[in-house]
Amino acid sequence: MVQTKRHPGDEVDAMLRNAELRCELEPYYDESIARLQATRLPLQKENEYLEMMLAWETAPVLPIAQWFHPSLNPCDPSEMTDAEVHDALWKLIHLLYSKQLVLDFTDHLSDRELYLLICRDILPSREKMLAIRNGYLHWDCAGVGESQEIWLTYYATEEERIVWEELHDEAAPLHLEPPYPRDLPGDPS
């Protein structure tokens, strides 16, 4: 078995980077850094974690439309044909995905309704613009946090509907197949 030797300079560089990251994170010191000190990770993994923390802490909070250069300024759908809305919608979907933003629960919305939701709710929403996102930002297009009726009607599994009925002591809405099935790009994990 061949063993590769680690270059001592690599370890020194990692220790220097660790000190640099901890210094930069000092203004943001909280329990997540304190917990990291109690948990011994390999130095390289610790540095990766600290880099992600620093990226999060220093990332600007901007409307999603401003994550793009130039900023997204979609056309008013009232001046567009259905075919133009469809094409513009898919362009927006792929642009959002390129910034690791995925749309969940969209199949109950027509192309025009989804396009409007993106323009009215998603693009003006202020979120952290991370240069490197360790995961995907999911946008709930069914408004589950507001009302569970759409989710229960179109997306909940039978088991989820039963649990909901037991918790709320009422019948869930009639299950329907979503009228606009789409194969959207999603979180690969």
Side-chain angles (χ1 to χ4, degrees):
M1 177 165 85
V2 177
Q3 288 188 330
T4 59
K5 290 189 176 187
R6 300 181 88 197
H7 191 274
D10 292 344
E11 188 70 21
V12 171
D13 288 344
M15 289 172 25
L16 289 171
R17 179 66 180 146
N18 188 272
E20 180 182 285
L21 288 165
R22 287 179 176 277
C23 186
E24 289 182 58
L25 281 165
E26 185 65 32
Y28 312 105
Y29 189 86
D30 64 10
E31 70 278 353
S32 59
I33 296 174
R35 266 190 254 133
L36 182 62
Q37 290 174 347
T39 309
R40 283 308 314 160
L41 294 173
L43 194 54
Q44 189 59 38
K45 290 290 180 193
E46 183 176 318
N47 285 351
E48 289 171 13
Y49 178 77
L50 292 173
E51 285 171 351
M52 286 189 310
M53 286 179 64
L54 184 61
W56 174 262
E57 293 293 351
T58 59
V61 177
L62 298 171
I64 292 172
Q66 292 180 17
W67 290 8
F68 301 87
H69 298 288
S71 293
L72 296 182
N73 190 15
C75 297
D76 181 350
S78 66
E79 301 171 3
M80 300 166 68
T81 67
D82 288 344
E84 290 170 330
V85 168
H86 176 81
D87 293 343
L89 170 65
W90 280 96
K91 181 178 179 186
L92 282 175
I93 288 168
H94 289 292
L95 284 169
L96 293 172
Y97 187 72
S98 75
K99 298 292 185 180
Q100 292 180 273
L101 191 149
V102 295
L103 305 175
D104 294 326
F105 309 119
T106 66
D107 295 350
H108 67 288
L109 298 167
S110 69
D111 283 355
R112 191 169 296 274
E113 290 167 330
L114 181 54
Y115 183 86
L116 281 169
L117 183 137
I118 291 170
C119 295
R120 182 192 64 226
D121 297 340
I122 297 175
L123 294 179
S125 178
R126 298 177 67 81
E127 298 287 340
K128 289 247 185 197
M129 186 182 88
L130 298 170
I132 300 170
R133 190 173 291 277
N134 188 20
Y136 285 74
L137 176 63
H138 288 258
W139 194 276
D140 171 13
C141 297
V144 174
E146 301 150 17
S147 165
Q148 295 186 331
E149 186 171 343
I150 293 170
W151 176 74
L152 286 166
T153 301
Y154 297 109
Y155 304 105
T157 64
E158 191 56 38
E159 295 83 22
E160 291 167 331
R161 293 169 57 80
I162 291 168
V163 169
W164 186 90
E165 289 175 341
E166 290 172 356
L167 286 173
H168 292 86
D169 198 28
E170 63 179 282
L174 180 66
H175 174 74
L176 300 172
E177 288 302 315
Y180 307 101
R182 294 183 182 88
D183 187 18
L184 298 181
D187 187 340
S189 59

